[in-house]
Amino acid sequence: MPDHLITTLRSTIRGEVRFDAADLALYAADASNYRQVPIGVVLPRDADDVIAAVAVCRRHDVPLLARGGGTSQNGQCVNAAVVLDTSKYMDRVLAIDVNTRTARVEPGVVCDALLAATAAHGLTFAPDPATHSRCTIGGMIGNNSCGPHSVMAGKTVENVKTLEVLTYDGARFWVGATSETELTRIIAAGGQQGEIYAKLKALRDNYAELIRTRYPKLKRRVSGYNLDQLLPENGFNVARALVGTEGTCATVLQAELSLVRSPPCRVLLVIGFPDIYQAGDAVPELMRFGPIAVEGLDKEIVRGLERRGLRADEIALLPAGDAWMIVEFGGDTLTQASLQARAADSHFTDRAGCRTYLIENPALQARLWGLRETGASATALAIDGDTPDPVVGWEDAAVDPARLGDYLRQFQALVDRYGYRTSLYGHFADGCVHARINFNLRTSPGIDQWRRFLRDAAELVVQFGGSLSGEHGDGHAKAEFLPIMYGTELMQAMRDFKAIWDPRHKMNPGKVVDAYRVDQHLRHGPSYQPLQPATRLQFRSREGDGFTRQIERCIGMGKCRAHQGGTMCPSYRATRDERDSTRGRARLLSEMLQGQIITDRWADGAVRAALDTCLSCKACKSECPTHTDMASYKAEFLSHYYETHWRPRQAYSLGRIGRWAPWAARWPWLINAVTQTPGLSTAAKWIAGIAAERRITKFAPHPFHTRFERRPRTPENAAARTVLLWVDTFSNHFQPNVAHAAVNVLTAAGCRVTLPQRPLCCGRPLYDFGLLDHARTELGAILDALEPQIAAGMPIVGLEPGCLSVFKDELLKLFPDDTRAQRLAAQTFLFADYLEHIGYEPPTLAGTKVLLHGHCHQRAIFGMAAEIKLLERMQVDLQHLDAGCCGMAGAFGFDQRYYRLSQQVGEQELLPAIRNAPPDSIIVTNGFSCREQITQGTHRSALHLAELIDQTLQKKSAME
C-alpha cells in the first residue's frame, strides 16, 4: 500500500511528496513529550494540492494530519498518518481589508508575517503565542492559540470570522456564523454541507442545556470542542466550532480573521512580588488599570538562568523579588500609555514587599519579552544529574483570574506532595498558568506517579471551575482526562461532533476524543535507549556530558524556524524546509542515535546531506534558547561518516587551505595567473570543487608576516602592553592590508605587537569537513608553540572571528582538561574587544555613514557590543544591520554544491541592504568571507574595523 500511495500522490500533486526514512524522522516529534512516526509527508503548493492529497488518502483509507509549525506542546502535531505541512508553500497573506478590519490568509502563513502585514495599517491579530515568530495561523486555529495580547481581543476562536474547510470525504465549503434562516436554507439545499449542518443542528438541540450549564464560564477555556459556538446565542458559528479541533475534524484551506487596532505606543511596568501567589492575588486589581498584557514569572526560571550564566542583562532589569509581573500598557501616544502605567505603578509601589520598574525604551521592552518567551526553554535541561528534566507534562491549565492566587497555592502544594519541582509562569491576566515540572518519564514507576499526579491536577483545576488547557490544546497530553472536566454526556457530544465531520475517524485520530492514553508514544519513555557513542569532541556542560545528552537540548520549540530577526537558521530561511532547520537536523541526529527509523547510524547519507547544508554559523549556539550547538554536532558526525566514505575534494582544496596556502604564497604570481585567467580559472575551480560563478580570491604579492618582519620595531620600553597578534591564513595571504592596519592601530593604542615565532593555523575550515584529528593536531601545535605567551598571560588579539572562535569553542572541546587551552581561551580577544578592554579612544569620523554587519561567529561567540561602542565613539552615523548570515560562511559559499544556497541566504537580507545603502556609506565587517560575499554579490567593497580606524588615523595625521 505505501508504494502505491506514494506513486499516486506523486502523480497527482505538484508539491513535494516525502516518504524516506529521514522525512519520517523529521516529523516524528513536535515540542511535546510524544513521538509517532508518520506514514509520509506532503508539502502542498496550494489548495488544489491539498484537495488532491486528501482524495488520495481517502482512496487508500489512511489517516491524515494537517500540521502547522510543529511547535505544539501537547502532542497534536504527531501521528501515524500522512502529514500535510502547509508552512513551506501555502504561506501567503491573501488580502487585508482595512475598512472591515479583516485579513484572509493561507493556513501556512506565520503569525509574525501576518502581524507585519497588518502593522502597516495600524492593525494586529490579537493572539500572539510565544512562538509567534514561527507558528502558523493554521496551527493557531487548530490549537485555539492565545498569547499575552489575547487580553485585547481574546483567543483565536474570538478572532476567526470564516473558514474554508475540506472534509476527509472531499466536501469543500466556507463556514462561519449562520443565522437561523441561513441554516434552514443550507439544510434544505442538501449535499454534504447540508447533511453536516443538519446533524450539527440536531447535536446542538440535543445538548444545548448541558453545554450551557457544564461548559466553564472562562476566557481561557481551550480544552474540548467549542460546541458552545453552535448555540443560537452564539450565532451557530460553525467556523468557531471548528477552531481548537486540532485537525481532528476538517482541514483549513483559507481563513478570514478579525483584526483589532494595535496601540502604537507601549510601556512596560515590571512589578516584583515576594512570591508568585501574591502576584496571582494582585491580578484583579491590576486589571482595573487597563493593561493589554499581564505576564507572570516566578523565581525558578530566573534563578535557573542565573545558575547557567544566561540572560544576565535582562535579569538585571527585574526589580527585587521572587516573582514578577510584566505588565504592558498601550496608547495612541507614549504619554497616554505612560499615564496608565504610572497609575498602576503608584498603586503597587506602596504595597509591602513590592518593587516596580517602569520601562518606556522599546529596546529594553523587547529584551524583557525575550526573557519571558524563552526563559522556560532555556532551563529545559536539568543541571543536577540526579534530577529529571523539567518537561511539559502538565503545561497550561487555566482558572478564573480572580481565584488565581489560591489556585497557585493549592497547585504548588500538590506538586510538593508528589515530591516534584516546578516553575510557574503564564498569562496571568486570563488565569493561564504554565508549569515545567521535573516528571520522571523514563521509568515505569515514574510514569505511574505522573499519571496519578495528572488526575489529581485535573481534579484540582475542575474544583476551581477551570480548564485543563488554557492555551496549548488537549492533543495527546490532556485528552485522556477530559471526562473529569466535561462528564460522560458531553464527551459523547464531542464524539458525535467529530463523527459528523469525520465518520471514518481518519483525521488526526487519537487526539481530543477517543484519545491515546497520556503515557502512550512517549518520546523519552522507558523504551528510549539511544546510542551513547564515543566522540572526538568532548561534549560537556552543566546539563550533562556526552553527544547524546547534547542532542537532547533540542526540545522542538522551533525558534530556528523564525523568518526574521537574528541569524538562526540561515539555511532554513532560504529553503523553508524542515530538514534545513536546526530543529530538523537535531531530530535526524536523535533518530540516528535511537536507530529505529535511521538505521545506518554514523554512515547515514540523509543525515550527512542535511548537515552539509548547515553553514556552521554557530547562531544556534547563542540564539537557540536551549543552546543547541549544531556546528559542533555537524563536525562530530562528519568525522565519523568519513571513516567509511571518501571525503569530497573540497575537503582538501578548501578544508586544508591552512596547509597549502603558505606553499602557494611562495609563487603568488603563478597561482594568480592560474586562478584569474579565463579558461585556466575554470579548470582550477573544477579541480578544487569551487563554484564556477565564484571569483577565486587573489593571493597578495607578499604575505603579511614577511612585511611585518621588515617593519621598524617598537622599542621594548615604549609600549605599556605586549600583545600577540593572531594573523589568520586569510589576513596573512589574501588581505594583509587588514593585518597591517591592525598593527598600526594597536601601536597607536600603546601596544607592542608580536607574532608567533613560526607559522600556525587554527584549522577553522577543517571542522566543516569533519577533519577533527587534523584539527586536534593543529591546535596541539598551537598550545605547544604559544606555551610561553599563554603562561605569561599575554593577550592574543585576532582579526578573523571565525578563526578566533576556535580558541573559544572547539579548542575547549578537543582539549577539555588542558589548562593551557583554558587559559588561551580566556586570553583571546577579537580586535575590537581588546581595544575596548584597554579603554582605547578611537579617532573621530563625525557624520560618516557606516553600515556594520556582524560576522556570524562574532555575534554568536563574542558579541557586537565592543564594535558598536568604538564606532559610536568615532561619532559615525551608524546603522547596525540585523541582516542575518551573509551566506558565504567560509568554505561553504565557494563550494560548487552549495553556491545557490549560499546566494539564497545572502539575498534574504544582507545583499539587498548593501545594494540599497547610500553610495557614500562605508561598509564594515570583520569576516573575510563576509567581505568576499559582499564584494562578489554587490560589487561594493567592505572594510575591516582595523582598516577604518587606521584610515582615519592616517587622515588625521595628514591634516596635522
Side-chain angles (χ1 to χ4, degrees):
M1 185 269 288
D3 289 343
H4 189 218
L5 173 66
I6 297 168
T7 302
T8 309
L9 282 169
R10 286 180 174 159
S11 64
T12 303
I13 73 166
R14 294 180 298 107
E16 300 178 44
V17 176
R18 299 180 172 182
F19 278 68
D20 293 340
D23 300 306
L24 305 186
L26 288 170
Y27 289 83
D30 54 8
S32 72
N33 297 322
Y34 298 99
R35 171 183 175 272
Q36 288 182 272
V37 181
I39 296 170
V41 181
V42 173
L43 282 66
R45 289 190 176 271
D46 51 29
D48 289 341
D49 264 2
V50 175
I51 294 166
V54 171
V56 172
C57 289
R58 180 170 66 251
R59 202 176 313 149
H60 289 83
D61 199 37
V62 296
L64 188 72
L65 164 59
R67 193 183 96 141
T71 59
S72 293
Q73 297 188 350
N74 283 339
Q76 51 267 67
C77 279
V78 294
N79 217 324
V82 172
V83 175
L84 282 177
D85 181 357
T86 60
S87 66
K88 184 172 183 178
Y89 298 115
M90 295 180 66
D91 61 350
R92 296 178 299 162
V93 177
L94 299 170
I96 295 174
D97 190 321
V98 178
N99 294 325
T100 61
R101 293 188 177 181
T102 58
R104 186 164 53 85
V105 302
E106 292 180 315
V109 68
V110 168
C111 180
D112 267 4
L114 174 60
L115 299 183
T118 58
H121 306 287
L123 301 173
T124 191
F125 184 61
D128 58 342
T131 55
H132 53 83
S133 65
R134 60 270 191 199
C135 68
T136 67
I137 296 297
M140 292 176 68
I141 292 169
N143 279 7
N144 195 8
S145 297
C146 308
H149 293 102
S150 300
V151 174
M152 292 195 294
K155 309 181 296 296
T156 297
V157 67
E158 284 89 26
N159 293 277
V160 166
K161 295 192 73 173
T162 61
L163 298 174
E164 185 183 22
V165 298
L166 175 72
T167 69
Y168 189 82
D169 285 340
R172 176 186 184 182
F173 49 88
W174 283 88
V175 297
T178 316
S179 67
E180 289 298 316
T181 301
E182 187 179 6
L183 178 58
T184 301
R185 180 189 61 78
I186 292 172
I187 294 173
Q192 287 178 295
Q193 184 179 7
E195 182 181 346
I196 289 171
Y197 273 53
K199 291 179 179 179
L200 291 175
K201 180 178 181 299
L203 182 146
R204 177 199 69 180
D205 294 342
N206 189 32
Y207 290 100
E209 288 310 309
L210 190 59
I211 293 170
R212 290 188 181 102
T213 56
R214 188 67 188 262
Y215 266 52
K217 304 298 186 289
L218 193 70
K219 287 181 67 176
R220 281 297 187 106
R221 182 199 57 76
V222 170
S223 278
Y225 291 151
N226 291 320
L227 302 183
D228 56 325
Q229 293 295 332
L230 298 177
L231 297 174
E233 56 267 34
N234 291 326
F236 197 81
N237 197 318
V238 179
R240 293 184 175 182
L242 286 171
V243 172
T245 55
E246 302 179 6
T248 61
C249 295
T251 300
V252 175
L253 301 176
Q254 289 186 64
E256 185 185 22
L257 309 171
S258 297
L259 306 175
V260 296
R261 191 170 174 279
S262 178
C265 298
R266 305 191 181 199
V267 174
L268 284 188
L269 175 64
V270 188
I271 309 173
F273 290 88
D275 56 51
I276 197 69
Y277 318 116
Q278 293 181 57
D281 292 336
V283 170
E285 54 189 301
L286 184 57
M287 293 303 295
R288 295 199 296 266
F289 295 95
I292 61 174
V294 179
E295 300 293 288
L297 184 69
D298 81 351
K299 64 181 179 181
E300 290 298 323
I301 290 176
V302 173
R303 304 297 178 245
L305 291 169
E306 289 176 332
R307 287 194 294 271
R308 293 165 173 81
L310 302 174
R311 294 278 188 179
D313 291 342
E314 288 81 0
I315 291 172
L317 297 174
L318 297 173
D322 272 344
W324 297 268
M325 293 253 260
I326 300 173
V327 188
E328 187 175 61
F329 296 88
D332 292 333
T333 65
L334 184 60
T335 300
Q336 186 182 39
S338 294
L339 283 173
Q340 290 178 285
R342 291 183 190 283
D345 187 10
S346 298
H347 180 82
F348 284 96
T349 298
D350 296 333
R351 177 168 298 187
C354 287
R355 299 291 185 271
T356 63
Y357 180 34
L358 194 144
I359 304 175
E360 295 182 345
N361 184 300
L364 294 182
Q365 292 179 34
R367 285 164 61 180
L368 256 299
W369 279 119
L371 174 66
R372 163 60 185 87
E373 290 176 354
T374 63
S377 297
T379 57
L381 271 67
I383 58 176
D384 182 347
D386 297 327
T387 303
D389 294 332
V391 295
V392 293
W394 177 264
E395 230 290 308
D396 63 318
V399 298
D400 182 348
R403 305 179 68 189
L404 179 59
D406 288 338
Y407 168 74
L408 289 172
R409 291 180 179 90
Q410 293 199 33
F411 180 73
Q412 184 64 58
L414 177 65
V415 171
D416 293 342
R417 191 159 66 247
Y418 275 86
Y420 293 134
R421 292 186 62 182
T422 186
S423 57
L424 297 172
Y425 61 103
H427 312 295
F428 279 17
D430 289 336
C432 181
V433 180
H434 296 313
R436 297 287 173 92
I437 305 175
N438 61 333
F439 299 122
N440 179 0
L441 305 186
R442 301 196 183 196
T443 68
S444 295
I447 290 173
D448 290 341
Q449 182 184 24
W450 175 51
R451 286 186 58 86
R452 294 193 300 274
F453 173 87
L454 293 179
R455 180 165 293 279
D456 288 347
E459 290 175 349
L460 177 63
V461 168
V462 172
Q463 288 172 22
F464 275 82
S467 174
L468 306 191
S469 172
E471 181 164 41
H472 295 153
D474 299 311
H476 200 140
K478 301 285 182 68
E480 180 184 348
F481 302 103
L482 285 178
I484 297 173
M485 178 176 170
Y486 286 108
T488 56
E489 289 182 273
L490 280 179
M491 290 306 301
Q492 185 57 50
M494 292 181 194
R495 290 190 190 90
D496 294 345
F497 182 81
K498 176 177 170 61
I500 291 169
W501 292 99
D502 178 30
R504 304 191 194 194
H505 203 67
K506 296 297 181 182
M507 298 292 291
N508 203 11
K511 316 293 177 172
V512 188
V513 297
D514 297 322
Y516 296 113
R517 293 193 323 273
V518 69
D519 54 351
Q520 286 182 282
H521 306 300
L522 289 171
R523 183 157 51 102
H524 291 162
S527 63
Y528 174 66
Q529 299 292 331
L531 180 71
Q532 302 288 344
T535 56
R536 291 178 170 87
L537 294 174
Q538 298 302 303
F539 295 93
R540 300 180 183 178
S541 69
R542 291 173 180 269
E543 294 85 3
D545 298 339
F547 184 73
T548 301
R549 180 59 171 165
Q550 295 308 300
I551 297 301
E552 290 176 359
R553 284 184 175 277
C554 179
I555 59 173
M557 70 171 298
K559 191 180 178 185
C560 50
R561 285 173 52 104
H563 293 178
Q564 290 182 321
T567 301
M568 179 179 68
C569 172
S571 50
Y572 174 77
R573 291 186 181 185
T575 67
R576 304 289 170 88
D577 196 308
E578 177 73 15
R579 75 176 69 199
D580 290 324
S581 69
T582 304
R583 181 180 71 178
R585 296 182 181 108
R587 286 275 182 268
L588 292 174
L589 290 169
S590 176
E591 293 293 344
M592 177 199 82
L593 292 169
Q594 293 181 68
Q596 296 170 2
I597 306 175
I598 295 175
T599 56
D600 289 340
R601 301 288 192 181
W602 296 113
D604 191 86
V607 178
R608 179 201 54 78
L611 290 169
D612 271 352
T613 60
C614 167
L615 281 73
S616 297
C617 68
K618 296 183 183 286
C620 50
K621 183 179 176 67
S622 61
E623 294 181 19
C624 171
T626 63
H627 302 282
T628 296
D629 185 6
M630 193 52 62
S632 295
Y633 309 160
K634 171 184 176 178
E636 184 65 45
F637 174 86
L638 292 179
S639 75
H640 294 272
Y641 179 84
Y642 287 120
E643 289 175 348
T644 56
H645 295 77
W646 290 102
R647 280 187 170 85
R649 60 187 185 277
Q650 291 88 346
Y652 305 97
S653 62
L654 300 173
R656 301 298 300 275
I657 189 173
R659 281 297 178 95
W660 62 257
W663 291 94
R666 298 181 179 185
W667 306 280
W669 57 271
L670 176 60
I671 301 300
N672 289 338
V674 172
T675 61
Q676 308 302 312
T677 303
L680 291 177
S681 66
T682 301
K685 291 175 190 176
W686 183 86
I687 292 169
I690 294 173
E693 297 87 347
R694 285 291 179 203
R695 185 188 71 241
I696 300 178
T697 309
K698 289 183 179 181
F699 273 84
H702 303 283
F704 166 78
H705 72 272
T706 61
R707 291 299 178 95
F708 179 81
E709 292 167 359
R710 302 173 193 171
R711 291 173 63 101
R713 295 300 179 116
T714 304
E716 290 286 339
N717 60 359
R721 305 174 182 87
T722 299
V723 301
L724 185 143
L725 183 65
W726 182 265
V727 182
D728 55 274
T729 297
F730 309 103
S731 298
N732 195 17
H733 298 296
F734 297 101
Q735 293 184 351
N737 48 299
V738 172
H740 286 299
V743 172
N744 292 339
V745 175
L746 288 168
T747 301
C751 299
R752 187 174 74 87
V753 180
T754 64
L755 299 183
Q757 292 185 351
R758 65 183 181 87
L760 297 168
C761 179
C762 72
R764 170 75 267 164
L766 297 171
Y767 300 92
D768 296 331
F769 300 96
L771 291 161
L772 296 186
D773 292 335
H774 294 282
R776 183 179 175 84
T777 299
E778 298 280 11
L779 290 177
I782 291 171
L783 292 175
D784 292 339
L786 299 186
E787 190 162 5
Q789 291 91 336
I790 294 171
M794 183 182 296
I796 287 79
V797 180
L799 306 170
E800 174 61 39
C803 295
L804 268 287
S805 70
V806 171
F807 295 157
K808 294 285 192 180
D809 188 3
E810 287 86 358
L811 173 67
L812 299 176
K813 292 186 176 76
L814 286 168
F815 294 88
D817 301 315
D818 193 320
T819 56
R820 298 174 304 168
Q822 295 161 12
R823 295 184 66 178
L824 175 57
Q827 292 167 216
T828 295
F829 295 86
L830 265 183
F831 178 74
D833 294 319
Y834 185 70
L835 293 180
E836 187 67 19
H837 175 69
I838 63 175
Y840 173 66
E841 285 297 329
T844 59
L845 196 58
T848 302
K849 295 183 179 68
V850 172
L851 272 68
L852 175 64
H853 169 67
H855 183 284
C856 292
H857 288 188
Q858 181 168 353
R859 284 190 295 235
I861 304 297
F862 299 92
M864 298 296 295
E867 204 95 2
I868 293 170
K869 289 178 182 177
L870 282 169
L871 288 168
E872 287 175 344
R873 290 207 296 273
M874 292 180 75
Q875 300 176 22
V876 302
D877 180 4
L878 179 62
Q879 181 184 356
H880 182 198
L881 298 174
D882 183 15
C885 179
C886 74
M888 184 68 84
F892 184 88
F894 280 93
D895 195 320
Q896 65 184 18
R897 298 170 297 172
Y898 309 116
Y899 169 77
R900 183 173 298 177
L901 178 56
S902 168
Q903 291 303 102
Q904 286 179 292
V905 171
E907 293 293 349
Q908 289 287 304
E909 294 184 67
L910 178 63
L911 298 183
I914 297 296
R915 294 190 196 103
N916 295 330
D920 61 343
S921 58
I922 298 174
I923 304 159
V924 173
T925 184
N926 292 334
F928 170 81
S929 58
C930 300
R931 294 193 295 275
E932 280 295 301
Q933 181 78 317
I934 288 169
T935 300
Q936 297 196 29
T938 69
H939 304 294
R940 296 190 64 172
S941 59
L943 299 178
H944 191 285
L945 178 66
E947 294 179 285
L948 179 65
I949 298 177
D950 183 38
Q951 291 176 10
T952 308
L953 286 171
Q954 291 181 31
K955 289 179 183 177
K956 181 179 178 181
S957 177
M959 291 176 65
E960 294 174 349

